[in-house]
Amino acid sequence: MLDMPAKIGPYTILDRLGAGGMGEVFSAHDERLKRRVAIKRLHPDHALTGERLARFRREAQLAAQLNHPAIVQIYDVLEHDGAEHIVMELVEGHSLSQLLADGPLPVERVAAIAVDVLDGLAAAHAQGIIHRDLKAENVLITTAGRAKITDFGIAMSLEPELADTRLTATQDVVGTRRAMAPEQIRGEALDERTDLYAFGVLLYEALTGKSPFRASSVARTISNILEQQPPPVHELDATIPGELSALVSYLLRKRRELRPRSAVEVRERLGHFAAQRPGVDEATMLTATGSPTELPAGEPTPPVRRGRVPAPLMVLAAAAIALLAIAIWRPKPEPTAVAVMKPQLDEPESPWKLVALGAHTAASSALASHPDFLVKASREVDVVAGAPRAVALAVAVEEVVTLDLECAEGSCQVALSRVAGEDGRVLATRSFVMPSEDFRAANAIVTQQVFEAFGRRAVEVGAIPSSEALAAYLRLRQRREDEGATPELASELAALRTQSGEFLEGLLLEADVLRRRFADSRDPADLTTAVELFVRAEALAPHDPRPVTGHCRVLISQGELDAAEAVLGELDQRMPGIAEVLDLRAKLLRERGRGREALAVLRRAASQQPSWKRLSNLAALEASLGEIEAAREHLQDSLRRFPGNLAGMSRLAQIELVAGDVSRAVELYERLVARSPSLPELSNLGLALLLEGQYKRSVEAYQQVLDREPDNPMFALNLADVMQLEGAAEAASELYLRVLELVQDDPDTAAWQLLTVKAQALGHLGRHREAVAAVQRARQLAPDNGQAAFEAALVYSLAGELASAAVNAEQAVELGYAKRWFALPWFDDLRRYDPSFER
């Protein structure tokens, strides 16, 4: 114990309050301002001289400018008998370390204290001051339960001299060391994030009653700080919320660039845990605003009335019970719809292309595997150009995640942002470094940063493959985007699975490649294997909807509609009413031939999440059911959300082709073919030219299509039709025979489109009985489809069954087909048969 004089300047010493490694604290009376103060006297061996003394006083003076309820204010700095003295605010209460002597505190209590501490840190950091010695001993809890940070201005001048053996010789420094950030241990430059690390240690201790790094020796404590990651707090106490546990781990990141950027950011994430500050004692009373207020020192505590509760408080209690009931019965909120934008690279063939794809995959997979989020498919997002707000409008999401990469040999600097879809506000940002060659480590870093940006705890998704396997997967995924679902790609993905083991993204990619390859291969084994892979993927990531939706789509493609119904029912229980589930429900209803019910369901989905693609799909269904004006409106909305999107433009061209202006259809298809000469667009251009009577140009378009896909029966039928109209009857007949061969070889001849193709070829060849039988089966499969009705009318007309032709023609017109389609020569007998139809 130091010999303390009875008086130091204007301060009369009253009592000794306590001692620490740096000195002792006394209560005193300020004779000038008539108030009680605390005086901390530094030990003589901590006395400062020369330049250190001048710097200490400058920093103490700066700290004295802090005036915040959560900071113990410094009043004065003075020298007496060769020792430095700090005069500060006297706080009645206990230190947080004293409270923790009996064990950890409840979450709500810790959060209330922590919010006060964060408010104090934010105020200090705004003034350019960092504490450098934040710990439970330096947080005081008043009798009203409010937290105040003390010792601002002392540690920040002493701690930079970490090599000073005089500091390491004291027991107090061992305690301080437990809360030091790695950069402090290494003697590096410090900033606000150093205080946030110490705050993370404080939270850890308050929640668990244990220090995350403290060991039996200074050396071991330092080693733990530099090298060891403590177990998450929720593993020590399962009652601690996962979100809070993730925040503590976030604060304790070894590299400061991976920690939160500011105390304000941490407070926003922590604030809701302290929504109700628990009372501490009877010195806290409720003001008119409902906020806790400390009584002035020396005034008596108002009596607490026992017995009957005053009427106003009874009303408040009833309201609280009602609010509690609402909170208990509140339904689980719907998942947040999120789009993850691909990183933009300076060059299309950038050497960092695979690294960027890996970061994008990690971010998308992380969010998709969490039950709180629904992630838009990359193929719908990637085609949209523009700022995040434009992307959000196009794909109808609430938030957009962006990733900006600046890569060099060995590492990439990454900026990750959450952007509000409604107005483009940046909700959160993260800046971090990831390796550019170790794909596994990069995946883990991006995943963690995404969850921290959203304030969520990470979700396990099975084993993460080695860096080499992950790089191989990314190369195959890049090929999938560049080349499509080739047979070789499926084989290479299967080989990767065999060699490197199963992991979520690999299973999903392989299953999707097989599902899409089936459109060409028609090999049922592709779909069978895809189902197995989707089921395995679901076991790895039970919260990720992608395996389940993929499984359901495959079952629908297989015609296993009852099995698809069962899978969809399970999905609907997990995510009731979600737009993606409604999409699948509509698809299943269409396959069952219940087009009107499918339309109602798809309209519900579009009203919930009107993405450009969903609006385009809705318009296609409306057009097929004859609701042309509704289809036009939805396509215009789709094009407004995503101007120039090829899918929307193609749908609009199709509407004009079927029910509108053929010349406009020709113009749209010519633009589409110029931008993307796909086979469907070329084929429809040929059909539009046919309707306009431009047979020669129509033949040229159809010939290009058939040259590129010679085994497609639909394309062969179209070319045969236009050849017949042009007068090349013999060549047309040869092609009609070729159509029958192709249909006969197709394993999926039960599809109504193939049945009408077969029926038309048979009708043009004069084999009318077979033609009628095929078209009757097609109409049973597609009773409400305008195209099926039109093609049935054509077959019946060729067969001479004009009454049936008239019935189907009327239905085709009702379902949106323009009457000009019946001006084709194949309907000559029908027009003569029915004068009203001619008119």
Side-chain angles (χ1 to χ4, degrees):
M1 176 175 175
L2 299 176
D3 292 330
M4 196 70 170
K7 192 169 184 178
I8 300 176
Y11 306 105
T12 300
I13 304 302
L14 300 176
D15 300 305
R16 179 178 178 271
L17 299 177
M22 291 185 182
E24 291 183 294
V25 182
F26 297 83
S27 66
H29 186 264
D30 185 344
E31 301 293 344
R32 297 168 304 177
L33 300 178
K34 307 301 181 184
R35 63 182 176 184
R36 295 180 70 194
V37 298
I39 297 180
K40 184 164 187 174
R41 183 186 188 187
L42 299 186
H43 279 305
D45 61 347
H46 286 168
L48 306 172
T49 59
E51 182 182 344
R52 294 178 71 196
L53 176 60
R55 176 154 48 91
F56 168 72
R57 287 184 171 173
R58 284 198 305 271
E59 292 179 339
Q61 289 166 1
L62 183 62
Q65 297 175 18
L66 295 174
N67 185 10
H68 191 277
I71 296 175
V72 175
Q73 187 156 13
I74 295 175
Y75 296 143
D76 200 357
V77 178
L78 51 85
E79 186 270 340
H80 186 85
D81 290 340
E84 295 298 320
H85 298 76
I86 309 295
V87 183
M88 63 188 77
E89 175 187 358
L90 179 64
V91 178
E92 299 287 347
H94 303 281
S95 70
L96 178 58
S97 63
Q98 290 173 315
L99 292 181
L100 295 178
D102 295 329
L105 302 177
V107 168
E108 296 80 5
R109 183 80 176 103
V110 173
I113 292 170
V115 165
D116 286 342
V117 173
L118 288 167
D119 286 343
L121 286 179
H125 293 169
Q127 298 295 321
I129 301 173
I130 57 176
H131 193 288
R132 305 187 193 186
D133 194 27
L134 182 65
K135 55 187 176 181
E137 293 87 336
N138 285 340
V139 174
L140 303 180
I141 310 301
T142 71
T143 54
R146 307 309 294 253
K148 288 178 174 283
I149 309 171
T150 188
D151 270 4
F152 260 110
I154 298 174
M156 65 182 176
S157 67
L158 295 178
E159 295 301 344
E161 287 76 42
L162 295 175
D164 191 331
T165 57
R166 292 174 300 173
L167 295 180
T168 60
T170 65
Q171 179 61 34
D172 189 56
V173 173
V174 175
T176 299
R177 284 290 171 87
R178 77 180 193 275
M180 283 183 181
E183 60 267 23
Q184 281 179 288
I185 297 292
R186 292 190 292 263
E188 299 171 352
L190 311 181
D191 63 17
E192 293 89 343
R193 292 168 294 185
T194 304
D195 280 350
L196 294 181
Y197 182 95
F199 175 74
V201 174
L202 185 150
L203 273 185
Y204 199 105
E205 293 175 348
L207 290 167
T208 68
K210 299 179 180 180
S211 174
F213 303 111
R214 190 171 192 169
S216 58
S217 68
V218 175
R220 190 58 192 161
T221 297
I222 291 173
S223 175
N224 288 345
I225 291 171
L226 294 177
E227 300 173 5
Q228 300 300 318
Q229 195 64 38
V233 294
H234 75 272
E235 291 185 8
L236 302 181
D237 183 349
T239 65
I240 297 173
E243 183 180 350
L244 181 56
S245 179
L247 176 59
V248 175
S249 298
Y250 184 19
L251 289 160
L252 295 179
R253 299 298 291 270
K254 304 297 184 189
R255 295 170 57 182
R256 65 180 136 185
E257 63 267 20
L258 301 182
R259 299 175 206 147
R261 294 176 304 160
S262 69
V264 174
E265 177 186 339
V266 180
R267 193 207 188 287
E268 289 175 354
R269 295 178 58 172
L270 190 64
H272 69 279
F273 289 106
Q276 291 186 342
R277 178 185 298 276
V280 178
D281 55 28
E282 295 173 355
T284 302
M285 58 182 188
L286 196 64
T287 67
T289 60
S291 59
T293 301
E294 267 184 61
L295 292 173
E299 293 198 11
T301 302
V304 178
R305 299 188 179 185
R306 309 294 181 184
R308 189 176 65 87
V309 179
L313 293 183
M314 292 180 64
V315 174
L316 288 173
I321 293 171
L323 288 173
L324 177 61
I326 292 171
I328 292 173
W329 292 104
R330 182 188 304 161
K332 182 180 178 181
E334 291 185 0
T336 301
V338 181
V340 181
M341 294 179 64
K342 273 192 173 178
Q344 297 299 310
L345 300 173
D346 295 336
E347 302 173 6
E349 298 305 320
S350 167
W352 313 113
K353 187 175 183 179
L354 210 62
V355 179
L357 180 59
H360 178 265
T361 302
S364 300
S365 181
L367 291 172
S369 297
H370 199 287
D372 289 352
F373 303 101
L374 277 176
V375 180
K376 274 290 178 179
S378 180
R379 58 181 173 271
E380 184 174 351
V381 177
D382 294 347
V383 295
V384 182
R389 188 178 181 186
V391 172
L393 176 65
V395 299
V397 294
E398 297 164 70
E399 293 191 28
V400 175
V401 173
T402 65
L403 293 160
D404 294 318
L405 274 65
E406 291 184 10
C407 296
E409 292 298 330
S411 65
C412 294
Q413 182 71 39
V414 185
L416 182 152
S417 299
R418 282 175 57 203
V419 181
E422 183 178 9
D423 53 16
R425 287 180 299 112
V426 176
L427 302 175
T429 61
R430 292 288 180 278
S431 179
F432 56 95
V433 177
M434 71 177 194
S436 60
E437 298 174 358
D438 188 339
F439 287 92
R440 190 175 192 271
N443 182 285
I445 290 172
V446 172
T447 298
Q448 183 65 29
Q449 289 293 326
V450 166
F451 282 126
E452 290 176 354
F454 279 90
R456 298 297 194 278
R457 178 183 170 190
V459 176
E460 294 295 331
V461 291
I464 302 298
S466 67
S467 182
E468 294 75 14
L470 196 51
Y473 157 78
L474 291 170
R475 283 190 288 270
L476 293 173
R477 178 173 169 179
Q478 188 64 61
R479 279 179 49 195
R480 164 72 178 84
E481 295 180 4
D482 295 341
E483 303 172 11
T486 63
E488 297 79 11
L489 187 60
S491 300
E492 291 180 52
L493 283 164
L496 177 63
R497 171 165 48 89
T498 301
Q499 295 165 6
S500 303
E502 296 181 351
F503 60 97
L504 177 63
E505 295 302 324
L507 290 172
L508 292 177
L509 180 62
E510 186 181 352
D512 188 64
V513 166
L514 289 169
R515 181 175 72 87
R516 293 178 182 277
R517 192 178 73 172
F518 173 76
D520 297 323
S521 71
R522 295 292 174 180
D523 183 356
D526 282 350
L527 295 184
T528 301
T529 304
V531 166
E532 295 174 359
L533 295 173
F534 279 129
V535 170
R536 293 179 196 171
E538 185 179 359
L540 289 178
H543 296 297
D544 193 328
R546 294 176 296 169
V548 188
T549 56
H551 184 187
C552 189
R553 290 182 191 280
V554 172
L555 291 174
I556 293 173
S557 299
Q558 287 178 313
E560 300 286 344
L561 303 187
D562 290 339
E565 185 77 58
V567 172
L568 188 57
E570 295 176 5
L571 186 61
D572 200 24
Q573 287 184 351
R574 284 168 46 186
M575 298 187 297
I578 299 299
E580 282 74 7
V581 177
L582 295 175
D583 288 341
L584 284 171
R585 174 69 61 192
K587 183 176 179 66
L588 183 57
L589 287 168
R590 288 194 69 184
E591 290 298 320
R592 291 191 183 279
R594 293 153 63 180
R596 288 289 165 185
E597 293 177 62
L599 179 59
V601 171
L602 196 52
R603 280 175 171 167
R604 279 177 54 203
S607 67
Q608 287 182 23
Q609 200 180 62
S611 69
W612 69 267
K613 187 173 183 179
R614 184 170 289 114
L615 289 167
S616 182
N617 291 339
L618 173 59
L621 180 56
E622 287 170 331
S624 71
L625 296 175
E627 300 199 19
I628 303 303
E629 288 307 314
R632 276 200 181 98
E633 288 181 10
H634 285 124
L635 281 173
Q636 288 168 357
D637 192 4
S638 175
L639 289 167
R640 178 184 64 82
R641 291 174 177 273
F642 179 16
N645 79 78
L646 296 182
M649 193 183 302
S650 178
R651 300 288 194 200
L652 186 57
Q654 191 172 13
I655 285 179
E656 299 297 350
L657 174 66
V658 172
D661 184 343
V662 177
S663 297
R664 173 64 172 156
V666 169
E667 176 189 342
L668 287 169
Y669 280 122
E670 286 177 337
R671 287 169 54 191
L672 287 164
V673 168
R675 289 180 58 182
S676 177
S678 66
L679 293 179
E681 309 302 3
L682 267 172
S683 178
N684 284 333
L685 173 60
L687 184 55
L689 291 168
L690 182 154
L691 288 175
E692 271 209 325
Q694 298 187 49
Y695 297 148
K696 184 176 181 179
R697 288 188 62 199
S698 179
V699 167
E700 291 173 355
Y702 279 135
Q703 191 64 62
Q704 289 183 58
V705 172
L706 201 59
D707 288 346
R708 289 168 58 182
E709 197 167 314
D711 295 332
N712 188 302
M714 297 181 188
F715 295 157
L717 176 70
N718 290 336
L719 181 57
D721 285 346
V722 73
M723 282 181 168
Q724 186 186 70
L725 291 173
E726 198 179 22
E730 186 174 345
S733 294
E734 291 179 3
L735 265 178
Y736 286 133
L737 290 171
R738 174 63 178 156
V739 169
L740 294 180
E741 292 175 5
L742 294 172
V743 171
Q744 189 65 31
D745 292 340
D746 196 304
D748 194 23
T749 51
W752 72 263
Q753 291 98 329
L754 289 177
L755 286 171
T756 60
V757 165
K758 178 181 179 180
Q760 289 174 81
L762 289 168
H764 285 298
L765 290 170
R767 296 162 60 176
H768 297 149
R769 176 182 289 182
E770 297 171 77
V772 168
V775 85
Q776 284 176 340
R777 290 200 301 277
R779 290 296 281 137
Q780 289 173 352
L781 293 172
D784 297 323
N785 187 280
Q787 180 183 343
F790 167 78
E791 291 172 353
L794 189 154
V795 170
Y796 282 123
S797 185
L798 291 173
E801 297 189 14
L802 301 181
S804 296
V807 169
N808 280 277
E810 285 183 10
Q811 187 174 12
V813 171
E814 290 173 358
L815 291 172
Y817 263 67
K819 296 178 181 179
R820 63 164 182 277
W821 283 81
F822 300 96
L824 292 167
W826 303 312
F827 295 99
D828 287 349
D829 289 344
L830 178 59
R831 290 195 300 275
R832 286 191 290 270
Y833 166 79
D834 189 344
S836 64
F837 186 80
E838 170 68 16
R839 288 195 297 273

